[in-house]
Amino acid sequence: MNINKNYLELQDSYLFSTIAKKVSEFIKANPNKEVIRLGIGDVTLPLAPVVVEAIKKAADEMGKKETFKGYGPEQGYAFLREAVKKYYSRKSVELESDEIFISDGAKSDLGNILDIFGLDNTVLVPDPVYPVYVDTNIMAGRKIVYADANESNGFLPLPDDSVKADIIYMCSPNNPTGAVYTKEKLKKWVDYALKNNAVILFDAAYECFIKSDELPNSIYEIEGAKECAIEFCSFSKTAGFTGTRCGYTIVPKTLERDGVKLNKLWLRRQTTKFNGVPYIVQKAAEAVFSEVGQKQIKENLQYYNDNAKIIAETMDEKGIWYTGGKHSPYIWLKCPNNMTSWEFFDYLLNNIGVVGTPGAGFGKNGEGYFRLTSFGDREKTIEAMKRFRSLF
Ligand code: PLP
C-alpha cells in the first residue's frame, strides 16, 4: 500500500496560524488595546434579505411531499443555469446553458478541474498567488513554473514566449494583489494560449468588484477565449455565500484539446464524482440574480468598496505604493521603510494593534508587500486608518 507521496511535497501553511499566534500573544500582553483585523478574506455582512426569503421558501418546499426534491441534476438546476446565462449576456457574452456547471464554490472546482488534464502538463501560476493553484498541482505531481508579478509590471504579468506552459492560472481581480487585467492585457494571454495549445483557468471570484465597463468581468469578453479558457466564479464574495457555498464553472463547448471537447470530459467527471449543490442553496443563488437581489447585494458591495476607498485614500495620503482597492476588496501595499512583510506585520500590530496579511505568505514576490482587506467593519476600518496615519 502506498500513499500519494506528492502530498509530502506540500509546504505546511504557517501563514494564518502564525498570524493567529502573534495576535493572541499581543492580546495577552495588551488586554486593554483593541485589535483591528484587516487581514480577513471572509465577508462579514449577512446574506441579502431576498436570499434569506428564498432559502426559507425552498426549505418549506423540501418539507412537503408535492414539492420535495431528491437528487438534482449534477450540472445544476436549469433555473440557476439560465440565470447565470442571462447574467453573462449583460456584457455580450453569450453562453449555452450546458456550458454552465453549478458548483459548491470556486475552490472545489479549481482543484477538481485538474482531473481532466494529463499529469505531464506544465502549469504556469503567477507569483504571488492564491495558494490553491499551487498546492492542487503539487498534490497531482505536475511541474509548476511561475510568472513573476511585481511592481514593474503592476503585479500583472504578461506571457513570455520563451516559457512553454500547458495550463495557465489567472485571477482577475487578483487575490492577493487586487490588480485587474485590462482587455488588451488579457488578449495577450488568450493569444499565447491559442498559439501554444494551452488552457487558461480563469478565476473570476472577485469580478463583482469591477466598476468600469472597460475592464473585463469575464475572460469570454476577449475574442478567442472560448477556444482556450475555462472560467470559475463564485457567489462567495458577490453575495456573501462563503458559508452557504455556491459557484459556477464555465466550460465552453468550443474548447477542445487532444481532439476531445473539455465540456464533455468535465460533464463526465462531474456526473461521476459530484452529486450537485443543494436545491435550497441553488434557490438562494437564483435570488441573487433577481432585480431586488442585485440591488441588495450591490448595497453590501458598496459597503466593502467604501471601506477599500478609505484604506486606499490613506495610502495615497501617505505616499505608499499599492495596487488594488479600486476594483477589488484587497489593497496590496509596499511595506514602508523597506521593511519585510513580517517586520511590517509586527510593526503594525505592536504599535497600533492593526492586523493585516504579510505578502510573503503568497509567494516569493510577495516579500516586502502587505495585504489589507475591505471586508471588515466600517467604524473599525476608519479607526485603523486613523491609527495608521498617526504612525507614518
Ligand atoms: N478564488 C480566489 C482567488 C479566492 O480568493 C477564493 C476565496 O477566498 C476562492 C477562489 C474560493 O471561493 P469559494 O468560496 O467560492 O470556494
Side-chain angles (χ1 to χ4, degrees):
M1 188 277 168
N2 283 311
I3 58 156
N4 177 351
K5 298 257 182 346
N6 294 321
Y7 275 65
L8 306 180
E9 300 298 319
L10 292 165
Q11 282 185 358
D12 281 331
S13 173
Y14 296 115
L15 181 64
F16 290 102
S17 57
T18 309
I19 292 173
K21 191 164 160 265
K22 281 178 181 269
V23 172
S24 76
E25 279 166 7
F26 176 83
I27 292 171
K28 217 190 241 169
N30 304 275
N32 298 322
K33 278 197 186 160
E34 190 208 11
V35 168
I36 302 178
R37 293 166 206 268
L38 293 186
I40 44 161
D42 198 356
V43 293
T44 51
L45 294 175
L47 294 172
V50 72
V51 170
V52 176
E53 274 314 304
I55 290 173
K56 287 182 184 164
K57 194 164 164 261
D60 283 342
E61 285 180 53
M62 292 298 274
K64 292 194 190 93
K65 196 169 189 321
E66 307 75 53
T67 46
F68 168 77
K69 304 270 184 303
Y71 290 122
E74 291 94 341
Q75 218 182 323
Y77 282 99
F79 63 77
L80 184 53
R81 286 191 281 138
E82 282 303 315
V84 172
K85 190 176 147 180
K86 209 165 137 212
Y87 181 67
Y88 270 78
S89 65
R90 86 206 184 281
K91 274 210 158 181
S92 304
V93 174
E94 300 308 332
L95 299 173
E96 289 177 38
S97 16
D98 52 0
E99 295 180 312
I100 301 163
F101 296 77
I102 305 302
S103 70
D104 62 354
K107 190 182 193 173
S108 330
D109 275 11
L110 279 160
N112 293 336
I113 195 78
L114 295 172
D115 272 13
I116 67 168
F117 298 116
L119 291 178
D120 50 356
N121 288 303
T122 299
V123 180
L124 181 78
V125 288
D127 173 357
V129 78
Y130 177 55
V132 171
Y133 312 152
V134 174
D135 287 352
T136 48
N137 279 290
I138 291 176
M139 288 171 178
R142 283 192 194 82
K143 183 182 167 206
I144 301 172
V145 292
Y146 291 91
D148 284 326
N150 48 41
E151 213 174 311
S152 66
N153 57 27
F155 284 91
L156 294 168
L158 290 175
D160 174 350
D161 278 325
S162 68
V163 176
K164 172 83 182 85
D166 306 301
I167 298 171
I168 301 160
Y169 283 87
M170 302 192 68
C171 177
S172 176
N174 190 276
N175 177 14
T177 71
V180 189
Y181 276 102
T182 59
K183 286 184 187 166
E184 294 69 31
K185 286 186 174 156
L186 220 45
K187 176 84 172 84
K188 290 193 190 331
W189 280 108
V190 168
D191 289 346
Y192 171 94
L194 291 172
K195 193 170 138 200
N196 291 280
N197 217 23
V199 172
I200 295 174
L201 303 180
F202 190 78
D203 185 347
Y206 296 93
E207 64 83 20
C208 59
F209 288 90
I210 291 176
K211 288 172 225 62
S212 159
D213 280 343
E214 299 305 310
L215 291 169
N217 292 70
S218 160
I219 194 163
Y220 304 121
E221 289 175 53
I222 313 302
E223 203 190 327
K226 279 191 181 170
E227 280 75 49
C228 67
I230 295 175
E231 182 160 296
F232 304 84
C233 203
S234 166
F235 295 92
S236 283
K237 309 298 155 83
T238 306
F241 272 51
T242 50
T244 306
R245 310 305 306 146
C246 198
Y248 47 90
T249 297
I250 315 290
V251 189
K253 287 194 280 190
T254 41
L255 174 52
E256 282 187 30
R257 290 293 179 268
D258 266 351
V260 179
K261 284 190 195 303
L262 298 194
N263 180 288
K264 200 173 153 213
L265 284 191
W266 181 240
L267 179 64
R268 189 70 174 85
R269 190 270 172 209
Q270 289 298 77
T271 49
T272 303
K273 291 196 187 180
F274 185 60
N275 248 344
V277 175
Y279 173 73
I280 296 172
V281 172
Q282 293 194 55
K283 274 290 176 189
E286 184 194 26
V288 170
F289 291 118
S290 67
E291 205 175 310
V292 192
Q294 286 292 298
K295 192 171 156 282
Q296 291 178 352
I297 63 153
K298 280 193 179 121
E299 281 165 20
N300 284 3
L301 289 170
Q302 189 59 45
Y303 183 90
Y304 298 136
N305 285 330
D306 290 343
N307 281 352
K309 197 159 172 255
I310 291 163
I311 300 171
E313 278 172 1
T314 309
M315 300 307 132
D316 286 334
E317 200 183 303
K318 294 291 163 187
I320 294 171
W321 191 94
Y322 67 96
T323 52
K326 291 189 178 67
H327 304 283
S328 160
Y330 298 120
I331 291 93
W332 177 254
L333 60 108
K334 188 173 183 176
C335 302
N337 308 324
N338 289 322
M339 276 185 257
T340 66
S341 299
W342 279 108
E343 280 168 358
F344 189 61
F345 176 90
D346 290 335
Y347 187 70
L348 281 192
L349 178 63
N350 295 328
N351 288 290
I352 59 171
V354 171
V355 181
T357 313
F362 298 99
K364 77 170 173 37
N365 289 330
E367 180 56 281
Y369 294 86
F370 201 74
R371 191 189 78 173
L372 294 176
T373 86
S374 68
F375 287 126
D377 176 79
R378 170 66 45 77
E379 297 313 314
K380 288 187 178 163
T381 305
I382 292 173
E383 171 60 20
M385 290 301 106
K386 197 170 133 205
R387 295 186 198 173
F388 198 95
R389 280 198 204 92
S390 67
L391 190 61
F392 294 101

